[in-house]
Amino acid sequence: MSSQILYFLRANSAETSPLPGLIDRITTRYNPTILPAWSLQQLLFRSTPAPAAADRDPAPPRYLQLVTLPDYPSDTLVAITPATSDNDDNATTDRSATVISIPSGASTDEFTQLLFTKFGPLWQRRRAVAVTEGSAMEVGGFRVRAGELRTDVGTAQVVRGVVAEVSHVGQSDDGQDAGDDEGLVRAFWDGLGVEGAREFRGLEVGKRDDGFGNVRLWCEVLMLNDLYQRS
């Protein structure tokens, strides 16, 4: 199984994107093999706040994400983030999302329709995020996917930033753990000399071993406040 780290580069303005500079750094330093383009989509819902009570603070919200990712071409991922507060003990509280997959197509359409109709009072639609025609390439034992994260503002799509997924897909030595592979990924990224990127690693997102660790990693990135700023 490959080890991956996600990097987020914030766009300085709606008219500029860090993507061309990132692609240029990779292509000038290496001779990458170009891979097929990729895409993702996210619909974000927030739990409807309960009526405020005078004797207690409002409950923290939960979030539900519908996500399509290139590693799951036939499925839609449903991730629900538990409600946590600043008073929760980081050592004992599992903040990672619960994730299930449903088949794309009619099943996803039916589930989405239920969210908007039957469960509309419980979940409020917040925002949609998408990557279209993302770039993908392979350099030695590393695969890089990079694309512009866009949100809808009126009838236009605005670039909020760039996400890059760097995976070590080469053969690892026997007995080498995920931390060793992540060190290789980080060394590759550092070699590109890209500044100002925020890093997301699987070991920071949750300790569940259910095969959806990379999905939670993407969900963390897609929940960034940078994607929901006002234009």
Side-chain angles (χ1 to χ4, degrees), residues 43-228:
L43 278 177
L44 176 68
F45 297 81
R46 176 176 169 165
S47 59
T48 302
D55 59 343
R56 66 177 185 271
D57 295 331
R62 293 178 298 151
Y63 292 92
L64 185 152
Q65 299 183 60
L66 297 181
V67 184
T68 60
L69 295 171
D71 287 334
Y72 301 84
S74 301
D75 295 317
T76 296
L77 291 313
V78 183
I80 299 180
T81 304
T84 57
S85 69
D86 294 336
N87 295 325
D88 287 332
D89 184 350
N90 290 332
T92 60
T93 302
D94 186 356
R95 297 172 181 266
S96 61
T98 297
V99 180
I100 63 170
S101 64
I102 57 178
S104 299
S107 296
T108 296
D109 293 341
E110 292 174 4
F111 184 83
T112 305
Q113 186 66 21
L114 281 174
L115 283 176
F116 282 115
T117 55
K118 300 293 185 180
F119 299 111
L122 300 177
W123 295 100
Q124 300 175 343
R125 183 178 184 271
R126 299 289 290 176
R127 185 78 70 154
V129 178
V131 171
T132 58
E133 293 297 316
S135 298
M137 59 198 74
E138 191 166 307
V139 179
F142 300 93
R143 183 190 64 210
V144 180
R145 291 182 178 136
E148 295 173 338
L149 289 168
R150 298 173 175 265
T151 60
D152 293 332
V153 179
T155 59
Q157 283 196 329
V158 176
V159 177
R160 298 299 192 183
V162 167
V163 62
E165 175 199 76
V166 184
S167 304
H168 180 235
V169 294
Q171 186 173 1
S172 299
D173 296 333
D174 292 339
Q176 183 167 300
D177 61 25
D180 295 329
D181 269 3
E182 287 184 347
L184 295 175
V185 172
R186 184 179 288 108
F188 173 83
W189 179 263
D190 290 344
L192 297 176
V194 179
E195 298 181 353
R198 183 172 174 183
E199 179 186 280
F200 293 81
R201 297 186 295 118
L203 296 178
E204 297 174 346
V205 177
K207 298 181 179 180
R208 302 185 193 182
D209 185 16
D210 58 2
F212 289 126
N214 61 329
V215 176
R216 295 186 179 91
L217 201 61
W218 278 102
C219 288
E220 287 288 304
V221 175
L222 296 174
M223 284 285 291
L224 284 173
N225 288 334
D226 299 81
L227 301 180
Y228 307 102

